[in-house]
Amino acid sequence: MSGVLTLAATVAAAAGAVAAYRFIDRRQQQFGDMLQRARGQKKPSKIIDCERDPETGVYRQRR
């Protein structure tokens, strides 16, 4: 039974690590895009600017 629990814990840890990596990568990419637009290094896309979310205080792309 301990082998099954070890396998389940390993799979859960791997899934959590993948989810954390994707979350961090997505946040880093959004922030990098916002900085490039602010510096004028990146041509404007369909999104004109960013707006601040009143609940969290985080700047997100205006849609």
Side-chain angles (χ1 to χ4, degrees):
M1 187 68 177
S2 66
V4 173
L5 292 177
T6 301
L7 180 62
T10 303
V11 169
V18 168
Y21 176 79
R22 286 183 178 176
F23 176 77
I24 291 169
D25 187 48
R26 188 176 36 225
R27 289 293 175 131
Q28 181 183 10
Q29 196 171 38
Q30 288 175 352
F31 185 70
D33 290 344
M34 186 176 62
L35 283 179
Q36 286 180 351
R37 280 195 315 270
R39 291 180 183 157
Q41 296 173 349
K42 187 175 182 181
K43 293 183 179 181
S45 61
K46 294 179 183 177
I47 299 170
I48 296 172
D49 59 345
C50 297
E51 63 185 351
R52 187 173 182 183
D53 184 14
E55 294 177 6
T56 60
V58 175
Y59 286 92
R60 298 201 186 270
Q61 298 173 345
R62 183 177 291 188
R63 296 177 196 249

Short mmCIF file of all heavy atoms in Angstrom, two decimals:
data_model
loop_
_atom_site.label_atom_id
_atom_site.label_comp_id
_atom_site.label_asym_id
_atom_site.label_seq_id
_atom_site.Cartn_x
_atom_site.Cartn_y
_atom_site.Cartn_z
N MET A 1 0.82 -1.19 0.00
CA MET A 1 0.00 0.00 0.00
C MET A 1 0.87 1.26 0.00
O MET A 1 0.48 2.27 -0.56
CB MET A 1 -0.92 -0.04 1.22
CG MET A 1 -1.93 1.05 1.26
SD MET A 1 -3.12 0.81 -0.07
CE MET A 1 -4.22 2.11 0.23
N SER A 2 2.04 1.19 0.64
CA SER A 2 2.88 2.39 0.69
C SER A 2 3.41 2.74 -0.70
O SER A 2 3.67 3.91 -0.98
CB SER A 2 4.04 2.20 1.67
OG SER A 2 4.92 1.20 1.18
N GLY A 3 3.56 1.78 -1.57
CA GLY A 3 4.01 2.05 -2.93
C GLY A 3 2.96 2.84 -3.70
O GLY A 3 3.29 3.75 -4.47
N VAL A 4 1.69 2.52 -3.48
CA VAL A 4 0.60 3.24 -4.14
C VAL A 4 0.54 4.68 -3.62
O VAL A 4 0.37 5.63 -4.40
CB VAL A 4 -0.74 2.52 -3.91
CG1 VAL A 4 -1.90 3.34 -4.46
CG2 VAL A 4 -0.73 1.14 -4.55
N LEU A 5 0.70 4.85 -2.34
CA LEU A 5 0.68 6.20 -1.76
C LEU A 5 1.87 7.02 -2.23
O LEU A 5 1.73 8.22 -2.50
CB LEU A 5 0.66 6.12 -0.23
CG LEU A 5 -0.61 5.56 0.38
CD1 LEU A 5 -0.48 5.46 1.90
CD2 LEU A 5 -1.81 6.41 0.02
N THR A 6 3.01 6.39 -2.35
CA THR A 6 4.20 7.08 -2.86
C THR A 6 3.98 7.52 -4.31
O THR A 6 4.32 8.65 -4.68
CB THR A 6 5.43 6.16 -2.77
OG1 THR A 6 5.62 5.78 -1.41
CG2 THR A 6 6.67 6.87 -3.29
N LEU A 7 3.42 6.67 -5.10
CA LEU A 7 3.13 7.00 -6.49
C LEU A 7 2.12 8.14 -6.59
O LEU A 7 2.30 9.08 -7.37
CB LEU A 7 2.61 5.76 -7.24
CG LEU A 7 2.26 5.97 -8.71
CD1 LEU A 7 3.50 6.38 -9.50
CD2 LEU A 7 1.65 4.70 -9.28
N ALA A 8 1.08 8.08 -5.77
CA ALA A 8 0.07 9.14 -5.78
C ALA A 8 0.66 10.48 -5.34
O ALA A 8 0.37 11.52 -5.93
CB ALA A 8 -1.10 8.75 -4.87
N ALA A 9 1.51 10.46 -4.33
CA ALA A 9 2.15 11.69 -3.86
C ALA A 9 3.10 12.25 -4.92
O ALA A 9 3.17 13.47 -5.11
CB ALA A 9 2.90 11.41 -2.56
N THR A 10 3.80 11.38 -5.61
CA THR A 10 4.72 11.83 -6.67
C THR A 10 3.96 12.46 -7.82
O THR A 10 4.34 13.52 -8.33
CB THR A 10 5.55 10.64 -7.18
OG1 THR A 10 6.24 10.06 -6.08
CG2 THR A 10 6.53 11.07 -8.24
N VAL A 11 2.86 11.86 -8.22
CA VAL A 11 2.05 12.41 -9.31
C VAL A 11 1.45 13.75 -8.89
O VAL A 11 1.44 14.71 -9.67
CB VAL A 11 0.95 11.40 -9.73
CG1 VAL A 11 -0.07 12.04 -10.65
CG2 VAL A 11 1.57 10.18 -10.38
N ALA A 12 0.96 13.84 -7.67
CA ALA A 12 0.39 15.09 -7.18
C ALA A 12 1.44 16.19 -7.12
O ALA A 12 1.18 17.34 -7.48
CB ALA A 12 -0.25 14.88 -5.81
N ALA A 13 2.63 15.87 -6.68
CA ALA A 13 3.71 16.86 -6.60
C ALA A 13 4.12 17.32 -8.00
O ALA A 13 4.37 18.52 -8.22
CB ALA A 13 4.90 16.28 -5.86
N ALA A 14 4.19 16.40 -8.95
CA ALA A 14 4.55 16.77 -10.31
C ALA A 14 3.48 17.66 -10.94
O ALA A 14 3.80 18.65 -11.61
CB ALA A 14 4.76 15.51 -11.15
N ALA A 15 2.22 17.33 -10.72
CA ALA A 15 1.14 18.15 -11.26
C ALA A 15 1.14 19.55 -10.64
O ALA A 15 0.93 20.55 -11.33
CB ALA A 15 -0.20 17.47 -11.01
N GLY A 16 1.42 19.63 -9.36
CA GLY A 16 1.51 20.93 -8.70
C GLY A 16 2.68 21.75 -9.22
O GLY A 16 2.56 22.97 -9.40
N ALA A 17 3.80 21.12 -9.48
CA ALA A 17 4.96 21.83 -10.00
C ALA A 17 4.70 22.36 -11.40
O ALA A 17 5.08 23.50 -11.73
CB ALA A 17 6.18 20.91 -10.00
N VAL A 18 4.03 21.58 -12.23
CA VAL A 18 3.70 22.03 -13.58
C VAL A 18 2.73 23.20 -13.53
O VAL A 18 2.89 24.19 -14.26
CB VAL A 18 3.13 20.86 -14.42
CG1 VAL A 18 2.51 21.36 -15.72
CG2 VAL A 18 4.20 19.83 -14.70
N ALA A 19 1.74 23.14 -12.66
CA ALA A 19 0.77 24.23 -12.54
C ALA A 19 1.45 25.50 -12.05
O ALA A 19 1.17 26.60 -12.55
CB ALA A 19 -0.35 23.82 -11.59
N ALA A 20 2.34 25.38 -11.09
CA ALA A 20 3.06 26.56 -10.58
C ALA A 20 3.95 27.16 -11.66
O ALA A 20 4.02 28.39 -11.81
CB ALA A 20 3.90 26.16 -9.36
N TYR A 21 4.63 26.33 -12.43
CA TYR A 21 5.49 26.82 -13.51
C TYR A 21 4.68 27.58 -14.55
O TYR A 21 5.07 28.66 -14.99
CB TYR A 21 6.23 25.65 -14.16
CG TYR A 21 7.07 26.07 -15.34
CD1 TYR A 21 8.30 26.66 -15.15
CD2 TYR A 21 6.61 25.90 -16.65
CE1 TYR A 21 9.07 27.07 -16.22
CE2 TYR A 21 7.36 26.31 -17.72
CZ TYR A 21 8.60 26.89 -17.50
OH TYR A 21 9.34 27.29 -18.57
N ARG A 22 3.54 27.04 -14.95
CA ARG A 22 2.70 27.71 -15.94
C ARG A 22 2.17 29.04 -15.42
O ARG A 22 2.09 30.02 -16.15
CB ARG A 22 1.54 26.81 -16.34
CG ARG A 22 1.96 25.67 -17.22
CD ARG A 22 0.78 24.85 -17.64
NE ARG A 22 1.18 23.77 -18.53
CZ ARG A 22 0.37 22.86 -18.99
NH1 ARG A 22 -0.91 22.87 -18.66
NH2 ARG A 22 0.81 21.92 -19.79
N PHE A 23 1.77 29.07 -14.15
CA PHE A 23 1.25 30.30 -13.55
C PHE A 23 2.32 31.39 -13.54
O PHE A 23 2.09 32.52 -13.95
CB PHE A 23 0.77 30.02 -12.13
CG PHE A 23 0.30 31.24 -11.39
CD1 PHE A 23 -0.94 31.78 -11.65
CD2 PHE A 23 1.11 31.85 -10.45
CE1 PHE A 23 -1.37 32.91 -10.97
CE2 PHE A 23 0.70 32.98 -9.78
CZ PHE A 23 -0.56 33.50 -10.04
N ILE A 24 3.52 31.04 -13.10
CA ILE A 24 4.61 32.01 -13.03
C ILE A 24 5.01 32.47 -14.43
O ILE A 24 5.24 33.66 -14.66
CB ILE A 24 5.81 31.41 -12.28
CG1 ILE A 24 5.45 31.24 -10.80
CG2 ILE A 24 7.05 32.27 -12.43
CD1 ILE A 24 6.44 30.43 -10.01
N ASP A 25 5.06 31.56 -15.39
CA ASP A 25 5.43 31.91 -16.75
C ASP A 25 4.41 32.86 -17.36
O ASP A 25 4.77 33.84 -18.02
CB ASP A 25 5.55 30.65 -17.60
CG ASP A 25 6.09 30.92 -18.98
OD1 ASP A 25 7.12 31.63 -19.08
OD2 ASP A 25 5.49 30.43 -19.95
N ARG A 26 3.13 32.62 -17.12
CA ARG A 26 2.08 33.49 -17.66
C ARG A 26 2.16 34.88 -17.07
O ARG A 26 2.06 35.88 -17.77
CB ARG A 26 0.72 32.85 -17.39
CG ARG A 26 -0.43 33.51 -18.04
CD ARG A 26 -1.72 32.74 -17.79
NE ARG A 26 -1.73 32.15 -16.46
CZ ARG A 26 -2.11 30.92 -16.17
NH1 ARG A 26 -2.52 30.13 -17.11
NH2 ARG A 26 -2.08 30.46 -14.94
N ARG A 27 2.37 34.98 -15.76
CA ARG A 27 2.50 36.28 -15.12
C ARG A 27 3.72 37.04 -15.61
O ARG A 27 3.67 38.24 -15.85
CB ARG A 27 2.59 36.13 -13.59
CG ARG A 27 1.32 35.73 -12.94
CD ARG A 27 0.32 36.84 -13.09
NE ARG A 27 -0.97 36.43 -12.59
CZ ARG A 27 -1.68 37.14 -11.75
NH1 ARG A 27 -1.26 38.30 -11.34
NH2 ARG A 27 -2.84 36.69 -11.36
N GLN A 28 4.83 36.35 -15.76
CA GLN A 28 6.06 36.98 -16.23
C GLN A 28 5.89 37.49 -17.65
O GLN A 28 6.34 38.59 -17.99
CB GLN A 28 7.21 35.97 -16.16
CG GLN A 28 8.53 36.53 -16.60
CD GLN A 28 9.63 35.48 -16.58
OE1 GLN A 28 9.36 34.30 -16.42
NE2 GLN A 28 10.85 35.91 -16.74
N GLN A 29 5.20 36.73 -18.48
CA GLN A 29 4.99 37.12 -19.87
C GLN A 29 4.08 38.36 -19.94
O GLN A 29 4.35 39.28 -20.71
CB GLN A 29 4.36 35.96 -20.63
CG GLN A 29 4.42 36.09 -22.12
CD GLN A 29 3.98 34.80 -22.78
OE1 GLN A 29 3.05 34.14 -22.29
NE2 GLN A 29 4.61 34.43 -23.86
N GLN A 30 3.03 38.41 -19.15
CA GLN A 30 2.13 39.58 -19.14
C GLN A 30 2.88 40.82 -18.69
O GLN A 30 2.73 41.90 -19.28
CB GLN A 30 0.94 39.33 -18.21
CG GLN A 30 -0.07 38.35 -18.72
CD GLN A 30 -1.16 38.07 -17.70
OE1 GLN A 30 -1.08 38.49 -16.56
NE2 GLN A 30 -2.17 37.33 -18.12
N PHE A 31 3.69 40.69 -17.66
CA PHE A 31 4.43 41.83 -17.13
C PHE A 31 5.47 42.32 -18.15
O PHE A 31 5.63 43.52 -18.37
CB PHE A 31 5.10 41.46 -15.81
CG PHE A 31 5.78 42.62 -15.15
CD1 PHE A 31 5.05 43.65 -14.60
CD2 PHE A 31 7.17 42.68 -15.09
CE1 PHE A 31 5.68 44.72 -13.99
CE2 PHE A 31 7.80 43.74 -14.48
CZ PHE A 31 7.05 44.76 -13.93
N GLY A 32 6.15 41.39 -18.80
CA GLY A 32 7.15 41.75 -19.81
C GLY A 32 6.52 42.47 -20.99
O GLY A 32 7.06 43.46 -21.49
N ASP A 33 5.36 41.99 -21.43
CA ASP A 33 4.65 42.65 -22.54
C ASP A 33 4.23 44.06 -22.15
O ASP A 33 4.34 45.00 -22.94
CB ASP A 33 3.42 41.85 -22.96
CG ASP A 33 3.78 40.55 -23.66
OD1 ASP A 33 4.95 40.41 -24.09
OD2 ASP A 33 2.89 39.69 -23.76
N MET A 34 3.77 44.23 -20.92
CA MET A 34 3.34 45.55 -20.46
C MET A 34 4.52 46.51 -20.41
O MET A 34 4.41 47.66 -20.83
CB MET A 34 2.70 45.43 -19.07
CG MET A 34 2.10 46.72 -18.57
SD MET A 34 1.23 46.57 -16.99
CE MET A 34 2.54 46.06 -15.91
N LEU A 35 5.68 46.04 -19.95
CA LEU A 35 6.86 46.90 -19.90
C LEU A 35 7.34 47.28 -21.30
O LEU A 35 7.73 48.42 -21.54
CB LEU A 35 8.00 46.20 -19.15
CG LEU A 35 7.89 46.17 -17.64
CD1 LEU A 35 9.09 45.41 -17.05
CD2 LEU A 35 7.83 47.55 -17.06
N GLN A 36 7.32 46.35 -22.21
CA GLN A 36 7.75 46.65 -23.58
C GLN A 36 6.83 47.67 -24.24
O GLN A 36 7.28 48.55 -24.95
CB GLN A 36 7.80 45.38 -24.41
CG GLN A 36 8.97 44.50 -24.07
CD GLN A 36 9.00 43.23 -24.91
OE1 GLN A 36 8.06 42.92 -25.63
NE2 GLN A 36 10.09 42.48 -24.79
N ARG A 37 5.52 47.58 -24.00
CA ARG A 37 4.60 48.57 -24.55
C ARG A 37 4.84 49.93 -23.92
O ARG A 37 4.78 50.96 -24.59
CB ARG A 37 3.15 48.14 -24.31
CG ARG A 37 2.66 47.13 -25.30
CD ARG A 37 1.15 47.00 -25.29
NE ARG A 37 0.56 46.94 -23.97
CZ ARG A 37 0.34 45.83 -23.27
NH1 ARG A 37 0.69 44.67 -23.78
NH2 ARG A 37 -0.22 45.88 -22.09
N ALA A 38 5.12 49.96 -22.62
CA ALA A 38 5.34 51.23 -21.93
C ALA A 38 6.62 51.91 -22.44
O ALA A 38 6.69 53.13 -22.52
CB ALA A 38 5.43 51.01 -20.43
N ARG A 39 7.63 51.13 -22.76
CA ARG A 39 8.90 51.69 -23.25
C ARG A 39 8.84 52.01 -24.74
O ARG A 39 9.75 52.63 -25.27
CB ARG A 39 10.02 50.69 -23.00
CG ARG A 39 10.36 50.51 -21.57
CD ARG A 39 11.47 49.51 -21.42
NE ARG A 39 11.78 49.26 -20.03
CZ ARG A 39 12.37 48.17 -19.59
NH1 ARG A 39 12.74 47.23 -20.44
NH2 ARG A 39 12.61 48.01 -18.32
N GLY A 40 7.81 51.57 -25.41
CA GLY A 40 7.68 51.83 -26.83
C GLY A 40 8.47 50.86 -27.69
O GLY A 40 8.67 51.10 -28.87
N GLN A 41 8.95 49.78 -27.12
CA GLN A 41 9.74 48.81 -27.86
C GLN A 41 8.87 47.85 -28.65
O GLN A 41 9.32 47.24 -29.61
CB GLN A 41 10.64 48.01 -26.92
CG GLN A 41 11.67 48.87 -26.21
CD GLN A 41 12.42 48.06 -25.17
OE1 GLN A 41 12.04 46.95 -24.84
NE2 GLN A 41 13.48 48.64 -24.65
N LYS A 42 7.65 47.71 -28.24
CA LYS A 42 6.77 46.77 -28.90
C LYS A 42 5.64 47.54 -29.55
O LYS A 42 5.06 48.45 -28.95
CB LYS A 42 6.20 45.78 -27.87
CG LYS A 42 5.40 44.67 -28.46
CD LYS A 42 4.98 43.68 -27.39
CE LYS A 42 4.20 42.53 -27.98
NZ LYS A 42 3.77 41.59 -26.95
N LYS A 43 5.32 47.19 -30.76
CA LYS A 43 4.24 47.87 -31.45
C LYS A 43 2.92 47.56 -30.75
O LYS A 43 2.73 46.44 -30.26
CB LYS A 43 4.16 47.42 -32.90
CG LYS A 43 5.35 47.85 -33.72
CD LYS A 43 5.19 47.43 -35.15
CE LYS A 43 6.38 47.90 -35.95
NZ LYS A 43 6.27 47.53 -37.36
N PRO A 44 2.04 48.53 -30.69
CA PRO A 44 0.75 48.28 -30.03
C PRO A 44 -0.02 47.15 -30.71
O PRO A 44 -0.01 47.04 -31.93
CB PRO A 44 0.00 49.60 -30.16
CG PRO A 44 0.98 50.59 -30.64
CD PRO A 44 2.15 49.87 -31.20
N SER A 45 -0.64 46.36 -29.91
CA SER A 45 -1.47 45.28 -30.45
C SER A 45 -2.93 45.74 -30.43
O SER A 45 -3.21 46.93 -30.34
CB SER A 45 -1.28 44.02 -29.61
OG SER A 45 -1.67 44.27 -28.28
N LYS A 46 -3.82 44.82 -30.50
CA LYS A 46 -5.24 45.16 -30.47
C LYS A 46 -5.63 45.77 -29.13
O LYS A 46 -6.58 46.52 -29.05
CB LYS A 46 -6.08 43.92 -30.73
CG LYS A 46 -5.92 43.36 -32.12
CD LYS A 46 -6.75 42.12 -32.30
CE LYS A 46 -6.54 41.51 -33.66
NZ LYS A 46 -7.29 40.27 -33.84
N ILE A 47 -4.89 45.42 -28.09
CA ILE A 47 -5.18 45.95 -26.76
C ILE A 47 -4.51 47.30 -26.63
O ILE A 47 -3.31 47.44 -26.83
CB ILE A 47 -4.68 44.98 -25.67
CG1 ILE A 47 -5.39 43.65 -25.83
CG2 ILE A 47 -4.91 45.56 -24.30
CD1 ILE A 47 -4.84 42.56 -24.99
N ILE A 48 -5.28 48.30 -26.29
CA ILE A 48 -4.77 49.67 -26.28
C ILE A 48 -3.97 49.96 -25.01
O ILE A 48 -2.89 50.51 -25.05
CB ILE A 48 -5.93 50.67 -26.42
CG1 ILE A 48 -6.57 50.47 -27.79
CG2 ILE A 48 -5.45 52.09 -26.26
CD1 ILE A 48 -7.82 51.25 -28.00
N ASP A 49 -4.49 49.59 -23.87
CA ASP A 49 -3.79 49.90 -22.63
C ASP A 49 -4.20 48.92 -21.54
O ASP A 49 -4.93 47.98 -21.77
CB ASP A 49 -4.07 51.33 -22.20
CG ASP A 49 -5.55 51.61 -21.98
OD1 ASP A 49 -6.39 50.80 -22.42
OD2 ASP A 49 -5.87 52.62 -21.38
N CYS A 50 -3.72 49.19 -20.34
CA CYS A 50 -4.01 48.34 -19.19
C CYS A 50 -4.89 49.10 -18.21
O CYS A 50 -4.92 50.32 -18.19
CB CYS A 50 -2.72 47.92 -18.50
SG CYS A 50 -1.66 46.92 -19.53
N GLU A 51 -5.60 48.35 -17.40
CA GLU A 51 -6.44 48.96 -16.38
C GLU A 51 -6.18 48.25 -15.06
O GLU A 51 -5.80 47.10 -15.02
CB GLU A 51 -7.91 48.89 -16.76
CG GLU A 51 -8.46 47.49 -16.88
CD GLU A 51 -9.89 47.45 -17.36
OE1 GLU A 51 -10.51 48.52 -17.44
OE2 GLU A 51 -10.38 46.36 -17.66
N ARG A 52 -6.42 48.96 -13.99
CA ARG A 52 -6.17 48.42 -12.66
C ARG A 52 -7.44 47.76 -12.15
O ARG A 52 -8.52 48.34 -12.17
CB ARG A 52 -5.76 49.53 -11.72
CG ARG A 52 -5.34 49.02 -10.37
CD ARG A 52 -4.77 50.13 -9.55
NE ARG A 52 -4.33 49.61 -8.27
CZ ARG A 52 -3.85 50.33 -7.31
NH1 ARG A 52 -3.72 51.64 -7.48
NH2 ARG A 52 -3.48 49.80 -6.18
N ASP A 53 -7.30 46.53 -11.68
CA ASP A 53 -8.42 45.81 -11.10
C ASP A 53 -8.66 46.37 -9.71
O ASP A 53 -7.77 46.33 -8.85
CB ASP A 53 -8.09 44.32 -11.03
CG ASP A 53 -9.24 43.48 -10.52
OD1 ASP A 53 -10.38 44.00 -10.47
OD2 ASP A 53 -9.01 42.31 -10.20
N PRO A 54 -9.85 46.92 -9.43
CA PRO A 54 -10.08 47.56 -8.13
C PRO A 54 -10.04 46.59 -6.95
O PRO A 54 -9.71 46.98 -5.82
CB PRO A 54 -11.47 48.18 -8.28
CG PRO A 54 -12.10 47.53 -9.44
CD PRO A 54 -11.00 47.00 -10.30
N GLU A 55 -10.35 45.33 -7.18
CA GLU A 55 -10.37 44.37 -6.07
C GLU A 55 -8.97 43.93 -5.66
O GLU A 55 -8.66 43.85 -4.48
CB GLU A 55 -11.20 43.15 -6.46
CG GLU A 55 -12.67 43.47 -6.64
CD GLU A 55 -13.45 42.25 -7.09
OE1 GLU A 55 -12.87 41.15 -7.14
OE2 GLU A 55 -14.64 42.42 -7.39
N THR A 56 -8.11 43.66 -6.65
CA THR A 56 -6.78 43.11 -6.34
C THR A 56 -5.67 44.14 -6.46
O THR A 56 -4.60 43.96 -5.90
CB THR A 56 -6.44 41.94 -7.27
OG1 THR A 56 -6.44 42.41 -8.62
CG2 THR A 56 -7.45 40.82 -7.14
N GLY A 57 -5.92 45.23 -7.21
CA GLY A 57 -4.90 46.24 -7.39
C GLY A 57 -3.87 45.88 -8.44
O GLY A 57 -2.85 46.54 -8.58
N VAL A 58 -4.13 44.82 -9.21
CA VAL A 58 -3.21 44.34 -10.23
C VAL A 58 -3.58 44.95 -11.57
O VAL A 58 -4.76 45.07 -11.90
CB VAL A 58 -3.27 42.80 -10.33
CG1 VAL A 58 -2.41 42.28 -11.46
CG2 VAL A 58 -2.85 42.17 -9.01
N TYR A 59 -2.59 45.37 -12.34
CA TYR A 59 -2.85 45.91 -13.67
C TYR A 59 -2.98 44.77 -14.66
O TYR A 59 -2.15 43.87 -14.72
CB TYR A 59 -1.72 46.85 -14.10
CG TYR A 59 -1.76 48.15 -13.38
CD1 TYR A 59 -1.07 48.34 -12.20
CD2 TYR A 59 -2.53 49.20 -13.88
CE1 TYR A 59 -1.12 49.55 -11.52
CE2 TYR A 59 -2.58 50.41 -13.21
CZ TYR A 59 -1.88 50.57 -12.04
OH TYR A 59 -1.95 51.77 -11.38
N ARG A 60 -4.05 44.80 -15.43
CA ARG A 60 -4.32 43.78 -16.44
C ARG A 60 -4.62 44.47 -17.76
O ARG A 60 -4.96 45.64 -17.79
CB ARG A 60 -5.51 42.92 -16.04
CG ARG A 60 -5.29 42.17 -14.76
CD ARG A 60 -6.24 40.99 -14.68
NE ARG A 60 -6.14 40.33 -13.40
CZ ARG A 60 -5.31 39.33 -13.16
NH1 ARG A 60 -4.54 38.89 -14.10
NH2 ARG A 60 -5.26 38.77 -11.97
N GLN A 61 -4.54 43.71 -18.82
CA GLN A 61 -4.82 44.26 -20.14
C GLN A 61 -6.31 44.56 -20.26
O GLN A 61 -7.14 43.74 -19.87
CB GLN A 61 -4.40 43.26 -21.22
CG GLN A 61 -2.91 42.99 -21.20
CD GLN A 61 -2.52 41.88 -22.14
OE1 GLN A 61 -3.37 41.14 -22.62
NE2 GLN A 61 -1.24 41.76 -22.40
N ARG A 62 -6.61 45.74 -20.77
CA ARG A 62 -7.99 46.12 -20.98
C ARG A 62 -8.51 45.38 -22.20
O ARG A 62 -7.86 45.29 -23.20
CB ARG A 62 -8.12 47.62 -21.20
CG ARG A 62 -9.55 48.07 -21.35
CD ARG A 62 -9.61 49.55 -21.48
NE ARG A 62 -9.24 50.11 -20.18
CZ ARG A 62 -9.34 51.38 -19.90
NH1 ARG A 62 -9.74 52.24 -20.79
NH2 ARG A 62 -8.98 51.81 -18.70
N ARG A 63 -9.70 44.84 -22.10
CA ARG A 63 -10.27 44.08 -23.22
C ARG A 63 -11.45 44.79 -23.80
O ARG A 63 -12.17 45.45 -23.25
CB ARG A 63 -10.69 42.70 -22.74
CG ARG A 63 -9.48 41.93 -22.27
CD ARG A 63 -9.86 40.59 -21.72
NE ARG A 63 -8.74 40.07 -20.97
CZ ARG A 63 -8.04 39.05 -21.35
NH1 ARG A 63 -8.33 38.42 -22.43
NH2 ARG A 63 -7.02 38.64 -20.64
#
